[in-house]
Amino acid sequence: MLSHFNHLTLAVSDLARSVDFYHQLLGLKLHARWDNGAYLTCGELWLCLSVDAQREFVAPQRSDYTHYAFSISESDFAGFVARLEQAGVVSWKTNKSEGDSWYFLDPDGHKLEAHVGNLAQRLMACREKPYKGMVFFD
């Protein structure tokens, strides 16, 4: 039986650029780097960046809604967003759900999100205004 999410691997086209983005700009902890990859962490999340010669930038309008969300405190949110905007990071979506969120792209077009809140808060908001056809199991 599965116990928890182990790690996330993202295919990248330029390792140096991606390590700089995730470590320097987003603040993830860098643990190891080699010719074709790197290991970083964000809290308990283990992130692997892996060079893939076939990886190309995918424009947000050409891809699906799949994205990866990171937690951020309410007190850090505005400064974080301002720093990314100042660095020219591209936003791909406007937040329409409960809790502050900023949706942005990494250098390879992976869709990311900085989100204030957790599942309990989201479920509480959904109980007040459920999505179409929503059923709760707890």
Side-chain angles (χ1 to χ4, degrees), residues 40-97:
L40 303 99
T41 55
C42 179
E44 294 295 313
L45 172 67
W46 164 18
L47 176 66
C48 175
L49 302 177
S50 182
V51 174
D52 185 335
Q54 296 180 23
R55 178 68 192 172
E56 60 183 59
F57 184 87
V58 178
Q61 59 273 26
R62 287 187 29 222
S63 64
D64 60 26
Y65 186 64
T66 301
H67 66 280
Y68 311 102
F70 295 93
S71 293
I72 189 166
S73 70
E74 189 173 353
S75 61
D76 290 337
F77 182 77
F80 178 82
V81 171
R83 189 173 78 227
L84 269 60
E85 287 177 330
Q86 185 176 25
V89 174
V90 175
S91 176
W92 62 274
K93 179 182 184 298
T94 302
N95 184 36
K96 297 177 185 171
S97 62

Side-chain angles (χ1 to χ4, degrees), residues 10-30:
L10 296 178
V12 300
S13 59
D14 181 325
L15 184 63
R17 179 180 67 181
S18 293
V19 167
D20 186 54
F21 180 84
Y22 283 95
H23 177 59
Q24 299 297 331
L25 191 58
L26 300 189
L28 275 64
K29 183 176 180 180
L30 180 62

